[in-house]
Amino acid sequence: MSKDDIQLLSALALALTRYPRSTLQQLATHAGISKATLYRMARTREEVVERIVAHASGALADAFDNAGLEDQPPLQALHKLTTALLDIRQFFSFLLMNHWLTHMDRGQDPHETEECQHYIRRVHAFFQRGQEEGVFRADVPSLWLARSYDFLLFSMMESEQRGDIEPDAMVGLVEQLFLGGALAKQA
């Protein structure tokens, strides 16, 4: 996929995150492109969503796979994952929002889906490993650490989209806020 295609998908992902119920015409407007440009990429809103989901899912898998959650020192792995997720923040935010809305519309609990469970299991196992190594607090459930980290990332991304924080400050802010409460005393 070309850099221009990725930028277009990123703009569309951001537009759908902010305006999840947009029509195709509204989506083009929110993404700052013409309807003709959007039609060249996809003929329907569903096709747009499918293309974004496919790219975003691959980018998310790469971020997790390349962070070293299973074998790198925990603080190094957490930094790599945070940096990677914030680098793809438009896609990560889109996946979270789209996943939530899709399953809520179906009357399903979004947290119970295999997609959600797959990633939460990986982050949960990572925090458990970090606790066992004495890096993260052992008096806090590791699943709670995983969910807190996830929600902190999403909140940070939303704040950046609203212009409340600068993109360059995001990794440091996530690490300071999260680790300030998650680090074991001796780490």
Side-chain angles (χ1 to χ4, degrees):
M1 185 174 295
S2 75
K3 184 178 177 180
D4 289 340
D5 289 340
I6 293 171
Q7 287 178 326
L8 177 57
L9 287 177
S10 179
L12 291 166
L14 180 59
L16 279 167
T17 300
R18 287 183 176 165
Y19 310 100
R21 304 287 189 202
S22 295
T23 65
L24 203 57
Q25 177 64 47
Q26 292 167 331
L27 185 56
T29 301
H30 294 313
I33 59 173
S34 70
K35 192 172 180 182
T37 299
L38 184 55
Y39 269 26
R40 281 193 291 276
M41 186 191 95
R43 293 279 184 204
T44 66
R45 184 183 185 287
E46 291 75 26
E47 195 177 331
V48 171
V49 170
E50 287 172 11
R51 290 202 55 190
I52 298 169
V53 166
H55 178 76
S57 296
L60 183 64
D62 289 346
F64 272 79
D65 291 345
N66 296 327
L69 298 179
E70 294 79 17
D71 56 5
Q72 296 296 310
L75 294 180
Q76 180 181 339
L78 186 66
H79 179 76
K80 288 171 82 173
L81 181 62
T82 302
T83 301
L85 291 175
L86 292 174
D87 283 348
I88 62 164
R89 62 188 169 272
Q90 290 85 353
F91 295 115
F92 184 60
S93 294
F94 166 80
L95 282 175
L96 291 174
M97 182 68 69
N98 184 64
H99 179 78
W100 186 265
L101 289 174
T102 298
H103 293 286
M104 292 299 287
D105 285 350
R106 294 178 187 160
Q108 301 168 332
D109 182 348
H111 295 107
E112 298 301 320
T113 64
E114 182 54 37
E115 304 99 323
C116 186
Q117 289 297 310
H118 171 73
Y119 290 108
I120 204 69
R121 279 192 302 267
R122 287 190 76 182
V123 178
H124 180 210
F126 165 72
F127 283 114
Q128 278 184 316
R129 181 174 72 86
Q131 287 175 320
E132 291 165 4
E133 293 179 19
V135 176
F136 301 122
R137 293 172 51 171
D139 63 328
V140 176
S142 54
L143 183 57
W144 186 84
L145 289 175
R147 292 189 191 276
S148 296
Y149 175 73
D150 183 51
F151 284 114
L152 179 61
L153 283 172
F154 184 76
S155 175
M156 187 69 61
M157 292 173 196
E158 184 179 25
S159 293
E160 186 258 342
Q161 289 172 9
R162 294 179 184 281
D164 297 339
I165 57 172
E166 292 297 318
D168 293 343
M170 292 173 70
V171 171
L173 288 172
V174 168
E175 289 177 346
Q176 289 170 7
L177 288 172
F178 183 76
L179 292 175
L183 275 179
K185 301 280 190 257
Q186 67 272 17

